[in-house]
Amino acid sequence: MTNKTSAWRPVVPVANMAGSAGKTTAAVTLAALLAESGREVLLVDVDAQSNATSWLGIDPDDVEISSGDVLLKRARLEEAIVETSTPRLRLVPATPGLDGDAIALLSETGREMRLKLALRACPDDVDVIIIDCPGSMSVLTVSALVVATSVVTVTAPSSKELEGIPKMEALIEEVAEAHNPDLELGAIVPCIVPPATAGRLYTDALAALQEAYGDLVTPTVRKTVRAPEAMSHHETLPAYAPRDPVTEDYRAVLASLEKAGVL
């Protein structure tokens, strides 16, 4: 359980180390559900794929000031923040040029601290910061972990995806030792989970996950076409499919994260 003070503001990267397992879907949907509940949310996109940015209706090709500009001190955080069509949800957008910015960042002094320093200028009314990280270890992921209050990772029920969790744990441990001593893995979200009838491969993987990580594992998020449909319409799941089972899955995940003190 995270120790909260009156000034405590959760900063939660959603990250994984084994490819795409619903990372951006989790980041965007949790941010939208938090905003729906009345909290002011800032979503920071530091993934060069820019999927969170485009999902929220911002064309990455039209972005004038990106998260990369903020990290390289070409612009201030407040200049990068844009409104979205979701009330109470603001965005620091990414562009495909972020890959080049990450390379440039490697030669900068204090590169791991850049996001933490930038977020000091976060508007006072923001209650929660969600960070959509790249799906791999990079200076951008490390920067997000440095400023994090807790980390959420996602996994699909397959051996390849599950192998990414120990890698994430190792990275969290390294960042905690060097920069952020209170950092810990706050939750593991099983995403893109097929029905039990799909076979023992998936049910066995989920059972192994539960056995290894216990209370860190949140309720599961089912496999569905609703997420890509919502993304193609540039609508969040709560807006596009408010009563769909997958949206309810994410409501259960959010309740689990709130109960654990992650959000």
Side-chain angles (χ1 to χ4, degrees):
M1 179 74 69
T2 303
N3 293 324
K4 300 187 181 84
T5 68
S6 60
W8 185 77
R9 172 165 58 192
V11 180
V12 180
V14 181
N16 76 333
M17 305 289 283
S20 177
K23 173 183 60 64
T24 296
T25 302
V28 170
T29 305
L30 290 171
L33 288 172
L34 285 163
E36 180 184 76
S37 74
R39 296 164 85 175
E40 292 288 338
V41 183
L42 179 65
L43 177 60
V44 182
D45 191 352
V46 292
D47 186 348
Q49 294 188 59
S50 313
N51 287 331
T53 296
S54 58
W55 195 327
L56 291 172
I58 309 298
D59 187 339
D61 292 333
D62 293 337
V63 170
E64 295 183 2
I65 301 174
S66 71
S67 57
D69 293 314
V70 174
L71 291 169
L72 289 172
K73 297 185 177 181
R74 296 189 295 239
R76 299 187 303 275
L77 180 73
E78 56 266 35
E79 296 175 309
I81 295 174
V82 296
E83 300 290 336
T84 73
S85 59
T86 300
R88 294 177 294 279
L89 175 55
R90 284 165 276 181
L91 172 72
V92 176
T95 70
L98 192 56
D99 277 337
D101 293 334
I103 294 172
L105 191 60
L106 291 174
S107 62
E108 295 290 327
T109 302
R111 54 189 176 272
E112 298 93 348
M113 304 297 293
R114 288 293 181 88
L115 187 56
K116 181 175 183 177
L117 294 173
L119 288 177
R120 288 180 178 176
C122 183
D124 290 338
D125 66 331
V126 170
D127 300 309
V128 182
I129 300 171
I130 303 290
I131 306 172
D132 186 27
C133 296
S136 62
M137 185 175 71
S138 75
V139 65
L140 301 172
T141 303
V142 172
S143 296
L145 299 189
V146 167
V147 73
T149 55
S150 189
V151 181
V152 170
T153 192
V154 299
T155 186
S158 71
S159 56
K160 175 183 178 294
E161 296 290 347
L162 294 179
E163 288 171 359
I165 299 175
K167 296 176 183 177
M168 178 57 66
E169 288 183 298
L171 180 59
I172 289 170
E173 185 176 344
E174 290 178 13
V175 173
E177 183 176 350
H179 301 288
N180 187 354
D182 296 325
L183 184 66
E184 59 184 16
L185 178 61
I188 302 167
V189 184
C191 294
I192 320 178
V193 177
T197 54
R200 286 194 58 184
L201 174 67
Y202 304 109
T203 56
D204 288 352
L206 283 174
L209 183 66
Q210 289 280 1
E211 183 177 355
Y213 293 99
D215 291 343
L216 282 178
V217 182
T218 73
T220 60
V221 176
R222 73 197 67 202
K223 185 176 182 179
T224 178
V225 299
R226 291 290 176 261
E229 286 177 357
M231 185 176 185
S232 70
H233 285 82
H234 305 295
E235 292 186 62
T236 66
L237 273 172
Y240 180 77
R243 290 177 293 277
D244 192 84
V246 72
T247 307
E248 294 305 314
D249 289 346
Y250 276 110
R251 293 187 196 280
V253 170
L254 177 57
S256 175
L257 296 176
E258 290 177 327
K259 182 178 179 181
V262 173
L263 288 170

